[in-house]
Amino acid sequence: MITNTATGELTGAAAGPAATLYACGITPYDATHLGHAATFLAWDLLVRAWHDAGHQVTYVQNVTDVDDPLLERAGRDGEDWRALADREIDRYRADMTALRLLPPDRLVGAVEALGLIEGFAGRLADRGALYDVEGDQYFSRACDEAFGSVSRLGPAAMTDLFAERGGDPGRPGKKDPLDPLVWLAARPGEPSWPARFGPGRPGWHVECAAIATKYLGSVFDVQAGGSDLIFPHHEMSASHARVALGPGAFARSYAHAGMVRLDGEKMSKSLGNLVFVSRLLAGGADPMAVRFAVLAHHYRGDWDWTSDGLAAATVRLARWREA
């Protein structure tokens, strides 16, 4: 059983003998901090519980390996964006292996999935759900009567979060402030790829909608991620899928992990208050103690990472090993 964000109720995590999970992955420009670790450890527990119950599990995770934050970091550091992404993906894999997370069956990068993402965006266009703003393609949320059913938020709250989390509600020419970008036209000095919409690159929400439904089918069991992804990301991805594939498409349930704080502030790259798994391990922390310290907290709640918590987990782990 999991708590389904879209209903607020406990529900069976898998609908049948096959169990399918899509978890939104990293944008690889500064991986992997304790917030990532806590989120992916939660889904590791779900996958292990499914295996233990005898389910045939398919677990898919994406990597947003081309996006504004990655390009901005590469530009700031004078580094090739592809080299930066590859290095951080390798670091992420190593960190997750050290914490003994079962790897996803498919780890799919946005760049390798460009063809299927463009094809999915084409389905939206064919249904009249896209429109042009200065060469960029936007999705019209008015095409989806169920928009808002994942987050259950009102328009004002949605607009505030959209602006806070990478959206552009105030852009002139949009039909609705909440309409999300699907295809970004090529910008000077940025990577781009040919498409039916013209050279450019995909938006974030359509990326996950396309990858999830390609590898798990139009309907799958669980869409998972941090609670900061409920809106706009999971709301938008689900809306894309319903318009492209039909009203019942996308996840049956939505599971969200709480935020990890440091000194009372949510860990985030923008604040620079990150605790990195690789640095903890390089400093001598036992990876199983790090895992233990994270698992001392309920996955849905927000909590604070502290050195005392890691120390207590280290002592408790040693006691268990001795026993």
Side-chain angles (χ1 to χ4, degrees), residues 249-265:
F250 219 56
R252 295 184 180 93
S253 299
Y254 295 82
H256 292 97
M259 297 292 100
V260 181
R261 300 180 298 246
L262 184 67
D263 299 325
E265 293 276 1

Side-chain angles (χ1 to χ4, degrees), residues 213-226:
T213 54
K214 166 66 175 179
Y215 294 107
L216 296 176
S218 61
V219 181
F220 56 94
D221 286 313
V222 178
Q223 159 79 82

Side-chain angles (χ1 to χ4, degrees), residues 257-277:
M259 297 292 100
V260 181
R261 300 180 298 246
L262 184 67
D263 299 325
E265 293 276 1
K266 171 197 161 185
M267 282 191 197
S268 71
K269 295 170 183 177
S270 59
L271 293 175
N273 61 343
L274 303 178
V275 177
F276 293 99
V277 172

Side-chain angles (χ1 to χ4, degrees), residues 67-125:
D67 200 11
D68 288 343
L70 171 66
L71 301 178
E72 290 165 4
R73 178 61 58 86
R76 186 199 74 180
D77 297 345
E79 184 173 6
D80 177 74
W81 67 273
R82 187 68 262 176
L84 171 61
D86 289 345
R87 186 181 71 246
E88 294 301 328
I89 291 168
D90 288 344
R91 192 196 309 271
Y92 167 70
R93 288 178 182 271
D95 289 343
M96 296 298 99
T97 299
L99 297 180
R100 296 187 188 172
L101 275 73
L102 298 176
D105 297 287
R106 288 185 179 271
L107 184 67
V108 184
V111 172
E112 72 177 275
L114 281 166
L116 72 93
I117 298 170
E118 184 203 352
F120 189 97
R123 293 179 71 109
L124 294 174

Side-chain angles (χ1 to χ4, degrees), residues 3-260:
T3 298
N4 181 6
T5 301
T7 64
E9 299 175 351
L10 281 173
T11 186
T20 46
L21 169 67
Y22 183 83
C24 293
I26 61 167
T27 301
Y29 65 97
D30 213 355
T32 312
H33 60 72
L34 260 299
H36 293 130
T39 297
F40 296 119
L41 271 169
W43 318 141
D44 186 60
L45 292 185
L46 175 59
V47 168
R48 289 174 183 274
W50 272 342
H51 280 301
D52 190 55
H55 290 287
Q56 180 182 349
V57 180
T58 305
Y59 175 17
V60 176
Q61 194 181 119
N62 76 307
V63 177
T64 305
D65 55 357
V66 60
D67 200 11
D68 288 343
L70 171 66
L71 301 178
E72 290 165 4
R73 178 61 58 86
R76 186 199 74 180
D77 297 345
E79 184 173 6
D80 177 74
W81 67 273
R82 187 68 262 176
L84 171 61
D86 289 345
R87 186 181 71 246
E88 294 301 328
I89 291 168
D90 288 344
R91 192 196 309 271
Y92 167 70
R93 288 178 182 271
D95 289 343
M96 296 298 99
T97 299
L99 297 180
R100 296 187 188 172
L101 275 73
L102 298 176
D105 297 287
R106 288 185 179 271
L107 184 67
V108 184
V111 172
E112 72 177 275
L114 281 166
L116 72 93
I117 298 170
E118 184 203 352
F120 189 97
R123 293 179 71 109
L124 294 174
D126 293 342
R127 283 157 176 73
L130 301 188
Y131 63 93
D132 183 278
V133 178
E134 298 177 326
D136 298 334
Q137 299 298 310
Y138 279 85
F139 171 78
S140 175
R141 76 178 185 101
C143 294
D144 176 25
E145 293 182 355
F147 186 89
S149 59
V150 175
S151 62
R152 297 178 291 157
L153 296 173
M158 287 184 187
T159 302
D160 289 344
L161 286 175
F162 196 39
E164 178 185 327
R165 296 173 177 172
D168 56 357
R171 182 174 181 180
K174 291 177 59 174
K175 294 180 179 179
D176 187 296
L178 293 174
D179 289 348
L181 183 71
V182 168
W183 190 262
L184 179 73
R187 269 43 171 184
E190 294 186 359
S192 63
W193 292 266
R196 63 180 281 183
F197 313 108
R201 54 186 168 90
W204 180 29
H205 314 306
V206 72
E207 170 194 336
C208 284
I211 292 172
T213 54
K214 166 66 175 179
Y215 294 107
L216 296 176
S218 61
V219 181
F220 56 94
D221 286 313
V222 178
Q223 159 79 82
S227 59
D228 56 342
L229 299 185
I230 298 171
F231 193 91
H233 186 47
H234 289 172
E235 190 75 70
M236 303 296 192
S237 295
S239 186
H240 290 341
R242 285 191 294 266
V243 172
L245 303 173
F250 219 56
R252 295 184 180 93
S253 299
Y254 295 82
H256 292 97
M259 297 292 100
V260 181

